[in-house]
């Protein structure tokens, strides 16, 4: 009860006209900057932080929450419309989202993303307000071995995205894993596959890989076929979500939230793995799994919810313990310090008004974003009416601008174009894109967590399975592998190709 | 889309102008059009220092049109390479620190700090050796004894990659205590936040990280400080220095400024004067207090000598590890 009345107090702090105006400004500029691929929410916030310097702490944090959510949402918008994810958490959204857009369902994809983000954000923020200390305790007990177990589970789940040809799917996964290896190995400090180019030392960002393979590769592919295939416009269908769309979105929103929030709370959990797990879960549970790969609304609703819930989750160790476990949280920490506020385990005791005001402003920023973007979704969708040559030229310019603007370095552009050519070749030879992206996301993490776990156990392999959590996850993995085999043994008379659950 | 991306650019520009703009035209012989390169991304420690310094230079009318820009990559060595390539450019300075010195060795960078023109060291921060509050180790000696007995079973962590400050501090401590750096089980975390998470979750035996990042945890009693690595004790932290604990190491993580190689003598003098004047302003002193930074002002030749000794020390540690 105490938390609830505190939260209401927070709303009274946050809900003044001037603070609402700050939130509105934050949402608008956050979205505007967040659409650039390569500029994720952390960078958006860092770049726009100076805008908030003149304000009082409450006003500043409200604008900040707006910028943050705006930046996140901006990344999803371009992901769906242009296949150029603005940040790593919306890479998975691009897979189905862009397919939906190209079959004339852009407005629905944007709407399910916006509403899903709102639902997930609201639930996660409520959990943040009510249960933070308890969840944080559990989250901290998650170690590298547990983390690695989840990644193994995710690797097993990649089999569902390999596509029709296993060989091609695995080749694509291998390509992704190789790209993921590039950079300094953080355990020993050795460089891998950098060929003496210092710009490669930090590795290749998954956003650059996604934009290169998805957007640039697609543009080249379309360009190489323009003469042969007729110039057809992308249809723009119904502007609003149908009842069917709603029915198919609700489940993924809730499951996405359930996956994303705890992940965000784990130090270094991140949003990429939960968005991917949400995607494969929805594909498994869907009554129309054949729609996946051609624009299934569940594949947008789930990952978008997971992404937003995870964002709220990352604030938990930050507000409850003062641990900035993500780049965004670290930037936020800097913002706190500007006002002479030291975040940490004592923050809630020292500055209750500020914390509850911040949590309330997360709700407000979230609601404003929905109010702003839902009516705009049909308008954005019209963008796709542009004739293809202009549309793809625009996408190329936009993708290049994004890659270049991060560091102002031409090498980043060359990397983007090289990946674009790789994307073209993969399309030419029928390699699916998704496993490559999953390889880039999971590979480096698997590498790091496995070695961390082994370092901590001093090389003892039992250190990988010595927690109840990791044992449970491996049990699940085993079940997933054995289940299809078992079914075949139990029902040897055929029907083993059924996909009914 | 066009409208959108233009809006994005306009906003980004506006944000930069808020920091770098507003220069008053009344300053007489102030430095104009100076560019400050930050070799890491926005929002980090180097970025904060550079942007604060630029803001103070503008506000105190010591310089006009100071532009801060980020060129991140490879622990700062991408920026360092750019600085070395800008030979003779008297309108460019680079924010850097110990991390860049270590990274240039760990990454085998062709560009070396020794090729540049040293300007000044601005601030420093000691590291702390911390253990979780329930840890069996109550003094640095307890920890060192256990560590020496079985280095493999004593994973220690830091918030920086090999070559970074936390890593160097851990290795220097080990070396002084008689543990082979190659035997040290150092677990890399992506920053102080992640490290503290592992420490509070009791994943590692001890951590070595920046004092500022742990202040609140210390106050809340969730971690215990066994020693501070600087030359003197830190106010508010009840822990001895390494020297007092019998380990002959003094280590601080510092930040300073460099200029490109071969700049003209007049440019060098002007930049030195600019930074010295900036250091003297009340705004800078206020900023130090506000951000919890310790003043460690050192310029010109003294700074050059300091850089040399720091470079040698980092190189020796990394050489022991087979990285130098």
């Amino acid at each position: 009860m105490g938390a609830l009345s505190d939260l209401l107090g927070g709303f009274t702090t946050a809900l003044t006209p001037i603070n609402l105006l700050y939130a509105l400004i934050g949402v608008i500029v956050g979205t505007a900057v967040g659409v650039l691929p390569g500029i994720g929410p952390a960078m958006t916030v860092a770049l726009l932080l100076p805008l908030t310097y003149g304000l009082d702490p409450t006003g500043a944090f409200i604008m900040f929450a707006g910028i943050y959510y705006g930046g996140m949402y901006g990344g999803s918008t371009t992901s769906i419309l242009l296949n150029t994810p603005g940040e790593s958490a919306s890479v998975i959204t691009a897979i189905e989202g862009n397919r939906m857009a190209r079959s004339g369902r852009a407005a629905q994809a944007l709407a399910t993303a916006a509403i899903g983000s709102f639902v997930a954000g609201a639930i996660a923020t409520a959990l943040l307000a009510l249960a933070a200390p308890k969840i944080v305790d559990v989250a901290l007990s998650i170690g590298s071995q547990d983390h690695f177990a989840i990644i193994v589970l995710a690797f097993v789940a990649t089999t569902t995205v390999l596509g029709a040809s296993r060989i091609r799917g695995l080749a694509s996964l291998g390509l992704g894993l190789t790209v993921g290896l590039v950079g300094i190995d953080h355990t020993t400090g050795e460089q891998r596959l950098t060929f003496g180019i210092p710009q490669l030392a930090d590795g290749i960002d998954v956003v650059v890989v996604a934009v290169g393979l998805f957007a640039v590769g697609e543009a080249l592919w379309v360009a190489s076929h323009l003469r042969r295939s007729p110039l057809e416009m992308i249809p723009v269908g119904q502007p609003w979500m149908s009842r069917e769309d709603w029915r198919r979105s609700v489940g993924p929103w809730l499951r996405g939230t359930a996956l994303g929030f705890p992940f965000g709370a784990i130090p270094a959990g991140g949003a990429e793995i939960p968005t991917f797990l949400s995607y494969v879960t929805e594909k498994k549970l869907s009554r129309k799994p054949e729609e996946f790969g051609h624009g299934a609304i569940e594949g947008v609703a789930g990952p978008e919810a997971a992404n937003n819930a995870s964002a709220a989750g990352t604030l938990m160790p930050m507000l409850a313990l003062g641990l900035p476990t993500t780049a965004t949280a670290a930037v936020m920490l800097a913002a706190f310090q500007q006002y002479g506020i030291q975040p940490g385990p004592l923050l809630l005791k020292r500055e209750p008004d500020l914390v509850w005001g911040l949590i309330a402003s997360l709700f407000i920023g979230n609601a404003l974003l929905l109010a702003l973007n839902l009516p705009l979704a049909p308008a954005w969708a019209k963008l796709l009416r542009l004739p293809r040559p202009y549309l793809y030229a625009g996408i190329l310019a936009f993708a290049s601008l994004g890659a270049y603007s991060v560091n102002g370095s031409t090498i980043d552009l060359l990397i983007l174009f090289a990946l674009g050519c790789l994307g073209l070749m993969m399309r030419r030879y029928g390699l699916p894109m998704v496993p490559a992206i999953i390889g880039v996301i999971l590979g480096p993490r698997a590498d790091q967590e496995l070695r961390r776990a082994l370092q901590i156990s001093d090389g003892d392999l039992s250190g990988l399975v010595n927690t109840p959590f990791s044992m449970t996850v491996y049990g699940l993995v085993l079940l997933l592998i054995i289940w299809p085999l078992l079914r075949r043994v139990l029902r040897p008379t055929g029907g083993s190709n059924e996909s009914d659950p | 889309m066009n409208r959108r991306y233009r809006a994005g650019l306009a906003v980004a520009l506006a944000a930069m102008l808020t920091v770098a703009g507003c220069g008053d035209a009344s300053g007489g012989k102030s430095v104009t059009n100076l560019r400050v390169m930050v070799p890491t991304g926005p929002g980090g420690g180097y970025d904060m220092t550079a942007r604060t310094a630029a803001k103070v230079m503008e506000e105190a009318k010591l310089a006009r049109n100071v532009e801060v820009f980020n060129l991140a990559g490879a622990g700062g060595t991408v920026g360092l390479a750019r600085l070395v390539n800008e030979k003779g450019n008297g309108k460019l300075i680079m924010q850097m620190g110990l991390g860049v010195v270590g990274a240039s060795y760990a990454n085998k960078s062709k560009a070396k700090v020794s090729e540049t023109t040293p300007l000044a060291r601005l601030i420093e921060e000691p590291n702390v050796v911390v253990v979780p509050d329930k840890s069996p180790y109550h003094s640095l000696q307890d920890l060192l004894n256990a560590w020496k007995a079985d280095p493999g079973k004593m994973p220690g962590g830091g918030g920086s990659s090999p070559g970074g400050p936390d890593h160097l501090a851990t290795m220097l401590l080990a070396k002084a205590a008689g543990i082979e750096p190659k035997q040290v089980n150092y677990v890399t975390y992506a920053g102080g936040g992640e490290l503290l998470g592992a420490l509070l979750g009791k994943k590692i035996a001890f951590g070595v990280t920046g004092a500022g990042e742990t202040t609140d945890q210390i106050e809340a009693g969730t971690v215990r400080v066994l020693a501070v690595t600087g030359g003197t004790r830190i106010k508010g932290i009840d822990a001895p220095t390494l020297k007092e604990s019998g380990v002959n190491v003094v280590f601080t993580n510092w930040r300073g400024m460099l200029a490109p190689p071969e700049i003209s003598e007049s440019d060098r003098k002007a930049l030195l004067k600019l930074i010295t004047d900036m250091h003297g302003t009340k705004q800078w002193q206020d900023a130090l207090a506000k951000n919890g930074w310790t003043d460690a002002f050192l310029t010109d030749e003294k700074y050059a000598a300091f850089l040399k000794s720091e470079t040698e020390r980092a190189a020796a540690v990394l050489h022991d590890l087979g990285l130098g």
Side-chain angles (χ1 to χ4, degrees):
Chain A
M1 258 343 261
L4 211 61
S5 60
D6 286 338
L7 183 61
L8 286 176
F11 271 109
T12 43
T13 322
L15 272 177
T16 62
I18 187 75
N19 282 345
L20 275 177
L21 181 68
Y22 290 149
L24 189 67
I25 296 172
V27 166
I28 292 171
V29 296
T31 312
V33 177
V35 295
L36 278 179
I39 301 192
M43 197 135 171
T44 309
V45 169
L47 284 171
L48 297 179
L49 207 55
L51 286 182
T52 65
Y53 282 168
L55 311 178
D56 64 304
T58 316
F61 284 117
I62 286 169
M63 190 189 271
F64 179 94
I67 292 173
Y68 183 43
Y69 274 123
M72 297 258 309
Y73 189 74
S76 312
T77 308
T78 48
S79 212
I80 291 169
L81 290 178
L82 307 177
N83 222 351
T84 55
E87 32 125 11
S88 58
S90 47
V91 166
I92 302 290
T93 309
I95 302 171
E96 294 301 318
N98 190 249
R99 290 279 156 190
M100 280 184 76
R102 279 197 276 158
S103 53
R105 285 164 53 74
Q108 285 82 353
L110 288 171
T112 196
I115 303 170
S117 299
F118 174 76
V119 171
I123 297 176
T125 314
L127 282 174
L128 174 70
L130 300 174
K134 277 167 218 132
I135 301 177
V136 162
D137 278 349
V138 177
L140 278 184
S141 70
I142 300 291
S144 292
Q145 64 276 60
D146 307 320
H147 224 122
F148 181 68
I150 299 175
I151 295 169
V152 170
L153 178 67
F155 266 122
V156 171
T158 48
T159 52
T160 58
V161 293
L162 285 182
S165 158
R166 286 281 148 101
I167 288 284
R168 290 199 172 93
L170 288 172
S172 169
L173 182 68
L175 274 173
L177 289 171
T178 313
V179 172
L181 273 180
V182 174
I184 295 174
D185 163 24
H186 286 287
T187 309
T188 61
E190 290 291 342
Q191 301 202 10
R192 299 192 285 210
L193 299 177
T194 56
F195 308 107
I197 302 167
Q199 281 83 353
L200 285 177
D202 288 332
I204 303 174
D205 193 85
V206 63
V207 173
V208 178
V209 179
V211 173
L213 290 185
F214 290 168
V216 181
E218 178 76 25
L220 294 176
W221 178 244
V222 169
S224 67
H225 283 71
L226 258 187
R227 282 200 194 142
R228 267 168 280 167
S229 62
L231 264 177
E232 56 183 72
M233 294 242 220
I234 292 165
V236 174
Q238 284 278 325
W240 307 107
M241 279 169 76
S242 66
R243 185 165 299 172
E244 168 81 0
D245 291 331
W246 278 94
R247 202 181 48 70
R248 288 174 60 181
S249 292
V250 173
W253 288 338
L254 298 178
R255 283 190 290 269
T257 309
L259 279 169
F261 186 68
F263 250 93
I266 302 171
E272 296 89 349
I273 296 180
T275 50
F276 171 62
L277 286 178
S278 161
Y279 177 82
V280 291
T281 311
E282 295 315 328
K283 191 173 178 182
K284 274 268 173 216
L285 292 179
S286 172
R287 267 185 234 150
K288 295 177 179 168
E290 70 281 358
E291 274 191 21
F292 273 78
H294 303 284
I297 195 164
E298 294 95 332
V300 180
E304 269 304 291
N307 157 2
N308 241 39
S310 153
T314 59
L315 292 179
M316 211 154 54
M318 166 78 194
L319 291 177
L321 294 176
L323 301 181
T325 51
T326 60
T328 313
V331 174
M332 201 161 145
L333 192 91
F336 273 114
Q337 282 163 344
Q338 278 294 323
Y339 293 100
I341 300 159
Q342 175 74 43
L346 307 175
L347 180 68
L348 195 58
K349 261 185 222 144
R350 277 195 209 136
E351 311 266 354
D353 291 353
L354 190 83
V355 174
W356 291 112
L358 177 66
I359 292 176
S361 27
L362 291 177
F363 272 112
I364 296 168
N366 211 352
L368 266 180
L369 204 58
L370 186 68
L372 200 70
N373 280 299
L374 214 46
L376 279 181
W380 284 133
K382 286 198 184 118
L383 189 66
L384 297 176
R385 275 199 185 149
L386 286 172
R388 264 192 214 188
Y390 302 112
L391 179 65
Y392 280 102
I395 291 176
L396 271 184
F398 186 71
S400 312
L401 181 76
Y404 182 73
S405 60
V406 175
N407 256 338
S409 144
T410 43
I411 298 211
D412 290 344
L413 270 180
L414 293 178
I415 295 173
L416 179 74
F417 295 151
L419 286 164
C421 293
L422 180 68
L424 175 67
M425 294 319 277
M426 286 171 74
R427 277 178 179 77
R428 167 70 184 77
Y429 293 103
L431 265 65
M433 300 293 131
V434 181
I437 293 292
I438 303 307
V440 180
I441 293 175
L442 294 181
R445 286 180 162 253
D447 175 34
Q448 187 167 29
E449 297 296 348
L450 172 64
R451 286 163 73 190
R452 253 187 214 164
L454 287 175
Q455 266 191 300
I456 288 170
S457 73
D458 195 19
D460 191 345
L461 283 177
S462 69
L464 293 179
V465 289
N466 59 1
T467 58
F469 187 96
S470 56
M471 282 190 274
T472 314
V473 176
Y474 285 123
L476 204 61
V477 168
L478 219 61
L479 210 66
L480 276 176
I481 296 173
I482 292 178
W483 181 240
L485 298 173
L486 258 184
R487 222 168 37 173
R488 210 168 291 175
V489 174
L490 291 178
R491 283 192 293 169
T493 44
S496 58
N497 276 336
E498 277 175 3
S499 52
D500 279 358
Chain B
M1 184 206 67
N2 250 331
R3 205 179 60 206
R4 243 186 164 192
Y5 112 69
R6 233 185 281 147
L9 261 188
V11 167
L13 276 175
M16 283 168 199
L17 284 175
T18 323
V19 180
C22 325
D24 197 324
S26 64
K29 264 187 70 187
S30 58
V31 178
T32 52
N33 301 328
L34 181 70
R35 305 187 77 211
V36 185
M37 173 164 60
V38 178
T40 52
Y46 290 162
D47 190 57
M48 289 267 293
T49 315
R51 286 182 197 276
T52 308
K55 206 168 132 212
V56 171
M57 287 173 188
E58 293 265 358
E59 278 175 9
K61 306 207 167 77
L62 302 170
R64 280 164 32 203
N65 273 343
V66 185
E67 184 205 341
V68 180
F69 69 103
N70 300 76
L71 180 61
T77 41
V78 171
L80 183 66
R82 164 80 175 271
L83 190 78
V84 170
N85 281 336
E86 295 263 350
K87 242 176 222 141
N89 183 349
K91 295 283 186 196
L92 176 73
I93 56 179
M94 179 173 118
Q95 171 67 54
M96 49 79 73
L98 177 60
V100 175
V101 173
S104 71
Y105 267 87
N107 301 342
K108 302 185 182 69
S109 156
K110 280 191 204 100
K112 294 271 179 254
V113 172
S114 56
E115 297 173 60
T116 63
T117 310
L119 293 174
R121 184 179 70 184
L122 291 172
I123 54 176
E124 65 177 5
E125 182 194 44
N127 271 21
V128 287
V129 182
V130 284
V131 293
D133 62 333
K134 301 246 165 58
S135 160
Y137 312 114
H138 287 268
S139 71
L140 187 69
Q141 217 52 55
D142 285 355
L143 179 76
L144 290 182
N145 289 340
W147 197 8
K148 254 190 261 182
D150 194 347
K153 287 267 187 277
M154 291 285 288
S160 55
S161 301
D166 296 355
H167 175 259
L168 288 177
T170 310
M171 294 304 167
L172 287 170
L173 176 63
K175 223 169 139 180
I179 303 163
E180 274 283 305
K182 272 199 171 167
Q183 302 240 287
V184 174
N185 194 352
Y186 175 88
V187 188
T188 303
Y189 289 93
E194 239 187 68
L195 167 73
L196 284 166
L199 208 59
L200 299 187
K202 297 172 195 65
K203 308 295 173 207
I204 48 177
F206 67 98
V208 178
T209 187
E213 286 168 291
T214 47
T215 326
D216 216 50
Q217 305 293 339
I218 296 165
E219 206 176 309
T222 53
V223 298
R224 187 162 62 231
V225 180
L226 298 184
V228 297
T229 65
T232 54
R233 290 188 176 215
I234 305 174
K235 211 169 76 184
I237 296 181
D238 178 28
T241 64
L242 288 178
K243 274 203 166 155
E244 288 171 338
S245 316
V247 180
N248 191 17
V249 173
V250 176
F251 174 92
T252 59
N253 183 14
W254 48 270
R255 290 178 204 151
M257 303 273 195
L258 298 176
E262 294 170 29
I263 58 171
S264 73
E265 190 55 23
S266 62
D267 278 341
R268 197 181 71 93
K269 286 261 158 64
L271 290 175
L272 275 173
K273 182 174 180 312
L274 172 65
I275 294 177
T276 311
D277 289 347
M278 190 275 299
H279 173 256
T281 59
K282 191 180 169 299
Q283 287 102 317
W284 178 250
Q285 298 304 325
D286 288 349
L288 291 181
K290 195 166 152 192
N291 289 298
W293 294 334
T294 310
D295 196 4
F297 197 58
L298 197 68
T299 56
D300 207 11
E301 279 151 30
K302 278 188 193 145
Y303 179 49
F306 172 77
L307 268 179
K308 190 159 175 277
S309 75
E310 286 289 285
T311 308
E312 280 164 6
R313 185 156 81 158
V317 168
L318 294 168
H319 181 77
D320 284 347
L321 291 166
L323 284 173

